[in-house]
Amino acid sequence: MTSQDSIINKTVVFVKKTLANVEGGHDWFHTERVYKNALLIAKKESVDLFIVSLGALLHDIADSKFHNGDDTIGPKIAKTFLSGIGVDSSVINHVVNIIENISFNSSLSVNNKTETFKSTELDVIQDADRLDAIGAIGIARCFNYGGFKNRLLYNPEIKPNLTMSKAEYKASTAPTINHFYEKLLLLKDKMNTQTGQQIALERHNYMLGFLEQFYNEWQGVK
């Protein structure tokens, strides 16, 4: 076993323990799926697999949604952990930058500015994370989180807000169905890699079929 393998194994143990009691859509199994998809996408990209592995495993170590919207906690936890097991500072900095810039809300404007850090490793992990937000699992995660926050399933009188700022997005309490239009259906066109785009198209179409069925059932058509 190489030193990198040992670090990855220690990271897996740390993430499993840290995420043991979090909401089901952001638990270890979500991280594991993102990790596996990141490695799959990375096969066709020129990337540092060690950074991809660590970034994927630590990308949701402290999602701001569960920490009063604080985006700084996750990067701090990751940096402290990686420093403690002797990871090189350049790798740590790259992983921290990935965590700080991976989320959908990082692409939304803050005082008319958006995040500027880019790397191929971030592209790969971001695609893997976004893939887990769409398709069948994406639908399941969406409603699981909506239930966790005690949100309405749907209210025809509350229309999706398609022009939200980062602050508005993070503060939103809209019905779960609105989230499809405010985020999930937008992800297909935000994929960075060709592999991500190919997988996203199938999952996007699955969500469209789900929404059609949902509205038919809501209206008593089927």
Side-chain angles (χ1 to χ4, degrees):
M1 180 183 294
T2 68
S3 60
Q4 289 189 353
D5 289 336
S6 176
I7 288 170
I8 290 171
N9 288 340
K10 289 177 181 177
T11 304
V12 168
V13 172
F14 172 71
V15 175
K16 282 185 176 181
K17 181 178 179 180
T18 303
L19 301 182
N21 297 306
V22 303
E23 180 265 338
H26 298 80
D27 58 6
W28 159 249
F29 294 112
H30 161 65
T31 295
E32 184 179 40
R33 291 190 301 270
V34 171
Y35 175 51
K36 290 179 178 178
N37 273 333
L39 295 181
L40 174 67
I41 295 169
K43 290 180 180 179
K44 295 188 177 181
E45 305 294 328
S46 178
V47 293
D48 185 322
L49 282 177
F50 185 50
I51 290 175
V52 167
S53 297
L54 293 180
L57 288 169
L58 292 165
H59 83 280
D60 242 357
I61 197 63
D63 192 300
S64 65
K65 289 190 289 293
F66 308 104
H67 296 275
N68 298 315
D70 190 342
D71 293 314
T72 68
I73 296 176
K76 287 178 181 176
I77 291 175
K79 184 175 183 178
T80 298
F81 167 73
L82 293 175
S83 297
I85 59 173
V87 176
D88 184 81
S89 60
S90 64
V91 173
I92 294 175
N93 289 337
H94 196 154
V95 171
V96 166
N97 273 315
I98 287 171
I99 297 169
E100 290 175 339
N101 291 277
I102 191 172
S103 69
F104 175 76
N105 66 56
S106 290
S107 68
L108 302 176
S109 63
V110 184
N111 297 323
N112 296 319
K113 295 181 180 179
T114 55
E115 303 297 334
T116 57
F117 174 80
K118 291 295 294 181
S119 76
T120 308
E121 288 78 12
L122 169 60
D123 288 345
V124 167
I125 300 168
Q126 194 171 57
D127 277 9
D129 188 36
R130 288 174 172 174
L131 286 174
D132 207 53
I134 59 179
I137 286 178
I139 292 170
R141 292 181 65 217
C142 187
F143 282 98
N144 189 80
Y145 183 73
F148 177 79
K149 300 294 287 188
N150 197 32
R151 294 181 180 174
L152 297 174
L153 293 179
Y154 175 53
N155 183 340
E157 296 181 1
I158 303 176
K159 303 302 180 183
N161 182 353
L162 304 181
T163 59
M164 283 189 286
S165 66
K166 181 176 180 178
E168 289 172 328
Y169 177 84
K170 292 174 73 171
S172 175
T173 59
T176 297
I177 283 292
N178 289 29
H179 194 58
F180 283 79
Y181 302 95
E182 294 167 350
K183 176 183 177 182
L184 307 190
L185 293 174
L186 306 178
L187 296 180
K188 172 179 69 69
D189 295 327
K190 290 182 175 291
M191 292 291 160
N192 304 298
T193 67
Q194 185 174 6
T195 302
Q197 291 166 6
Q198 291 171 346
I199 299 173
L201 179 59
E202 179 180 355
R203 297 189 184 194
H204 178 86
N205 290 335
Y206 185 91
M207 291 192 298
L208 292 178
F210 168 81
L211 288 169
E212 180 180 6
Q213 181 71 19
F214 181 93
Y215 293 130
N216 284 338
E217 293 181 12
W218 187 275
Q219 296 164 4
V221 176
K222 290 184 180 180

Coordinates of all heavy atoms in Angstrom, one line a residue, residues 15-16 19-34 59-60 66 132 141 144:
V15 N -14.4 10.3 7.2 CA -15.7 10.8 6.6 C -16.8 10.0 7.1 O -17.9 10.5 7.4 CB -15.6 10.9 5.0 CG1 -16.9 11.2 4.4 CG2 -14.5 11.8 4.6
K16 N -16.7 8.7 7.1 CA -17.8 7.8 7.6 C -18.2 8.2 9.0 O -19.3 8.2 9.3 CB -17.3 6.3 7.5 CG -17.4 5.7 6.1 CD -17.0 4.2 6.2 CE -17.2 3.5 4.9 NZ -16.8 2.1 5.0
L19 N -19.8 11.8 9.2 CA -21.2 11.9 8.6 C -22.1 10.8 9.1 O -23.2 10.6 8.5 CB -21.0 11.8 7.0 CG -20.2 12.9 6.4 CD1 -20.2 12.7 4.8 CD2 -20.6 14.3 6.7
A20 N -21.8 10.2 10.2 CA -22.6 9.1 10.6 C -24.1 9.4 10.9 O -25.0 8.6 10.7 CB -22.0 8.5 11.9
N21 N -24.4 10.6 11.4 CA -25.7 11.0 11.8 C -26.3 12.2 11.1 O -27.3 12.8 11.5 CB -25.7 11.3 13.3 CG -25.3 10.1 14.1 OD1 -25.9 9.0 14.0 ND2 -24.3 10.3 15.0
V22 N -25.8 12.4 9.8 CA -26.4 13.6 9.1 C -27.6 13.2 8.3 O -27.9 12.0 8.2 CB -25.3 14.2 8.2 CG1 -24.1 14.6 8.9 CG2 -24.9 13.2 7.1
E23 N -28.3 14.2 7.7 CA -29.4 13.9 6.9 C -29.1 13.0 5.7 O -28.0 13.1 5.2 CB -29.9 15.3 6.4 CG -31.1 15.3 5.5 CD -30.8 15.2 4.0 OE1 -29.6 15.6 3.6 OE2 -31.6 14.8 3.2
G24 N -30.1 12.1 5.4 CA -29.8 11.0 4.5 C -29.3 11.4 3.1 O -28.7 10.5 2.4
G25 N -29.6 12.6 2.6 CA -29.2 12.9 1.3 C -27.8 13.5 1.2 O -27.3 13.7 0.1
H26 N -27.2 13.7 2.4 CA -25.8 14.2 2.4 C -24.9 13.4 3.3 O -24.0 13.9 3.9 CB -25.9 15.7 2.9 CG -26.6 16.6 2.0 ND1 -28.0 16.6 2.1 CD2 -26.2 17.4 1.1 CE1 -28.4 17.5 1.2 NE2 -27.4 18.0 0.6
D27 N -25.2 12.1 3.4 CA -24.5 11.2 4.3 C -23.3 10.5 3.6 O -22.9 10.9 2.5 CB -25.5 10.1 4.8 CG -26.1 9.3 3.7 OD1 -25.7 9.5 2.5 OD2 -27.0 8.5 4.0
W28 N -22.7 9.5 4.3 CA -21.6 8.8 3.7 C -21.9 8.2 2.3 O -21.1 8.2 1.4 CB -21.1 7.7 4.6 CG -20.3 6.7 3.9 CD1 -20.6 5.4 3.6 CD2 -19.0 6.9 3.2 NE1 -19.6 4.8 2.9 CE2 -18.6 5.7 2.6 CE3 -18.1 8.0 3.1 CZ2 -17.4 5.5 1.9 CZ3 -17.0 7.9 2.4 CH2 -16.6 6.6 1.8
F29 N -23.1 7.7 2.2 CA -23.5 7.0 0.9 C -23.5 8.0 -0.2 O -23.1 7.7 -1.4 CB -24.8 6.3 1.0 CG -24.8 5.2 2.0 CD1 -25.5 5.2 3.2 CD2 -24.0 4.0 1.7 CE1 -25.4 4.1 4.1 CE2 -23.9 3.0 2.6 CZ -24.6 3.0 3.8
H30 N -23.9 9.3 0.0 CA -23.8 10.3 -1.0 C -22.4 10.5 -1.3 O -22.0 10.6 -2.5 CB -24.5 11.6 -0.5 CG -24.0 12.8 -1.2 ND1 -24.3 13.0 -2.6 CD2 -23.3 13.9 -0.8 CE1 -23.8 14.2 -3.0 NE2 -23.1 14.7 -1.9
T31 N -21.5 10.7 -0.3 CA -20.1 10.9 -0.6 C -19.5 9.7 -1.4 O -18.7 9.9 -2.3 CB -19.4 11.1 0.8 OG1 -19.8 12.3 1.4 CG2 -17.9 11.2 0.5
E32 N -19.9 8.5 -1.0 CA -19.3 7.4 -1.7 C -19.7 7.3 -3.2 O -18.9 7.0 -4.0 CB -19.8 6.1 -1.0 CG -19.2 4.8 -1.6 CD -19.7 3.6 -0.9 OE1 -21.0 3.5 -0.5 OE2 -18.9 2.7 -0.7
R33 N -21.0 7.7 -3.5 CA -21.4 7.8 -4.9 C -20.6 8.8 -5.6 O -20.2 8.6 -6.8 CB -22.9 8.0 -4.9 CG -23.8 6.9 -4.4 CD -25.3 7.1 -4.8 NE -25.8 8.4 -4.2 CZ -26.4 8.5 -3.0 NH1 -26.5 7.4 -2.2 NH2 -26.8 9.6 -2.6
V34 N -20.5 10.0 -5.0 CA -19.7 11.1 -5.7 C -18.3 10.6 -5.9 O -17.7 10.9 -7.0 CB -19.7 12.3 -4.8 CG1 -18.8 13.4 -5.4 CG2 -21.1 12.9 -4.8
H59 N -15.7 16.6 0.1 CA -16.4 17.8 -0.5 C -17.6 18.2 0.3 O -18.0 19.3 0.3 CB -16.9 17.4 -1.9 CG -18.2 16.6 -2.0 ND1 -18.2 15.3 -1.8 CD2 -19.4 17.0 -2.3 CE1 -19.4 14.8 -2.0 NE2 -20.2 15.9 -2.2
D60 N -18.2 17.2 1.0 CA -19.4 17.5 1.8 C -19.2 17.2 3.3 O -20.2 16.9 4.0 CB -20.6 16.7 1.3 CG -21.8 17.5 0.8 OD1 -21.7 18.8 0.9 OD2 -22.7 16.9 0.3
F66 N -26.3 22.7 6.9 CA -26.5 22.1 8.2 C -25.7 22.9 9.3 O -25.6 22.4 10.4 CB -26.2 20.6 8.2 CG -26.9 19.9 7.2 CD1 -26.3 19.4 6.0 CD2 -28.3 19.6 7.3 CE1 -26.9 18.8 5.0 CE2 -29.0 18.9 6.3 CZ -28.3 18.5 5.2
D132 N -25.2 13.3 -8.8 CA -25.9 12.7 -7.6 C -27.1 13.6 -7.2 O -27.9 13.1 -6.4 CB -25.0 12.5 -6.4 CG -25.4 11.4 -5.5 OD1 -25.6 10.3 -6.1 OD2 -25.6 11.6 -4.3
R141 N -33.2 12.3 -3.1 CA -32.5 13.2 -2.2 C -33.3 14.5 -2.0 O -33.3 15.1 -0.9 CB -31.1 13.5 -2.7 CG -30.2 12.3 -2.7 CD -28.8 12.7 -3.2 NE -28.1 13.7 -2.3 CZ -27.4 14.6 -2.7 NH1 -27.2 14.8 -4.0 NH2 -26.8 15.5 -1.9
N144 N -36.2 13.9 0.2 CA -35.7 13.6 1.6 C -35.3 14.9 2.3 O -35.7 15.1 3.5 CB -34.5 12.7 1.5 CG -34.1 12.1 2.9 OD1 -34.7 11.2 3.4 ND2 -33.1 12.7 3.5

